[in-house]
Amino acid sequence: MEAEGLDWLLVPLHQLVSWGAAAAMVFGGVVPYVPQYRDIRRTQNADGFSTYVCLVLLVANILRILFWFGRRFESPLLWQSAIMILTMLLMLKLCTEVRVANELNARRRSFAAADSKDEEVKVAPRRSFLDFDPHHFWQWSSFSDYVQCVLAFTGVAGYITYLSIDSALFVETLGFLAVLTEAMLGVPQLYRNHRHQSTEGMSIKMVLMWTSGDAFKTAYFLLKGAPLQFSVCGLLQVLVDLAILGQAYAFARHPQKPVPHAVHPAGTKAL
């Protein structure tokens, strides 16, 4: 009787915890990019943010959505991918607008300086996705070029998935590639730290946030019985985060002589 009397409290509490965990999964991945977005808007400078972060996350989450058509998984994970795609597109839009505006201002200053010296200034050509120039890949002059690239990739990947959806091997490989791509997001930061033997310019608080978020995500995968690819790559992502924290500890104990190098963003996993 006592157990039955507690059901009225435990059942809603369990439901509330379940909703909270689902909400954390859907929106937790985009939280680290909110301060980065606000900082770029405030400073009107996007040099500290690598847009290749957006590329990796766009590819990973598009592949994850396509994987859902072959093997259904938890709805919060599907919504998480959709929210992340929208977030990365917003980041790309802001970064492109800021970069183009800064290039335009620099060009105006160059014209003004050239006019005073009667010199000729060469105008940089517009870079477009439709140029198919590998040297300028993902460095285009308009946000619409990024949208075209994302739509083209989605169309090609979607068509291949449609043709191969009945192949269990293809579906499982697709899911593995989706989560592996996302799991590798911290590897460039790990390599950069190793190459410079320093974690200067990297926010320890942000890495701690990545680690706690990835650990929560992996636990969610395991408890919810998500596909094996999700759990394995989640564990890999946690290991990469821990390795970065290990580097920070080791380099703090044995600092190297400072050498001039480009500072990577503190709020993103640098690529």
Side-chain angles (χ1 to χ4, degrees):
M1 293 293 294
E2 184 178 352
E4 293 179 359
L6 290 176
D7 285 347
W8 68 272
L9 177 62
L10 294 179
V11 172
L13 183 61
H14 180 271
Q15 189 67 43
L16 185 63
V17 171
S18 179
W19 287 344
M25 280 301 303
V26 172
F27 298 103
V30 305
V31 170
Y33 299 98
V34 173
Q36 184 72 61
Y37 184 92
R38 295 178 62 182
D39 187 54
I40 292 174
R41 284 187 63 90
R42 179 177 56 84
T43 62
Q44 288 298 295
N45 187 343
D47 292 341
F49 179 75
S50 171
T51 55
Y52 285 100
V53 171
C54 301
L55 173 61
V56 172
L57 287 175
L58 283 168
V59 170
N61 285 281
I62 289 170
L63 292 179
R64 184 193 288 184
I65 291 176
L66 294 176
F67 176 57
W68 182 84
F69 289 98
R71 182 176 176 185
R72 302 300 170 89
F73 48 79
E74 287 285 317
S75 296
L77 300 179
L78 181 65
W79 284 107
Q80 180 198 50
S81 292
I83 296 296
M84 183 61 77
I85 289 172
L86 290 175
T87 302
M88 291 301 102
L89 288 175
L90 287 174
M91 290 295 298
L92 279 174
K93 184 175 187 296
L94 176 64
C95 290
T96 305
E97 290 174 349
V98 168
R99 188 182 71 246
V100 170
N102 290 340
E103 289 177 354
L104 181 60
N105 291 334
R107 196 177 304 160
R108 287 172 176 169
R109 289 192 294 269
S110 297
F111 276 124
D115 286 342
S116 64
K117 298 179 181 179
D118 294 328
E119 295 178 353
E120 183 181 355
V121 176
K122 293 183 179 181
V123 178
R126 182 184 182 278
R127 300 184 293 271
S128 172
F129 165 66
L130 296 178
D131 294 337
F132 299 110
D133 186 348
H135 298 292
H136 294 144
F137 177 75
W138 212 249
Q139 298 175 13
W140 302 308
S141 304
S142 173
F143 173 65
S144 62
D145 292 301
Y146 293 96
V147 174
Q148 291 173 23
C149 180
V150 171
L151 291 177
F153 173 78
T154 304
V156 172
Y159 182 66
I160 295 174
T161 302
Y162 174 76
L163 295 178
S164 309
I165 198 69
D166 294 328
S167 170
L169 177 62
F170 172 82
V171 171
E172 296 301 323
T173 302
L174 183 65
F176 181 76
L177 287 176
V179 289
L180 181 63
T181 303
E182 185 176 356
M184 291 293 100
L185 195 59
V187 171
Q189 181 70 59
L190 188 72
Y191 173 73
R192 176 259 179 193
N193 295 342
H194 173 73
R195 183 160 56 89
H196 292 291
Q197 292 294 294
S198 170
T199 56
E200 181 184 354
M202 184 190 72
S203 170
I204 302 299
K205 292 181 180 179
M206 288 301 299
V207 179
L208 289 172
M209 185 181 296
W210 299 335
T211 307
S212 59
D214 292 337
F216 171 81
K217 179 174 63 178
T218 304
Y220 183 91
F221 291 158
L222 294 170
L223 292 174
K224 289 294 185 177
L228 181 62
Q229 298 97 320
F230 285 58
S231 301
V232 171
C233 291
L235 288 171
L236 179 60
Q237 203 164 358
V238 172
L239 290 176
V240 172
D241 294 337
L242 291 175
I244 295 174
L245 288 174
Q247 286 179 323
Y249 176 76
F251 297 151
R253 285 177 59 89
H254 306 286
Q256 302 291 318
K257 292 183 179 180
V259 293
H261 61 272
V263 177
H264 287 261
T268 60
K269 297 183 179 181
L271 289 180

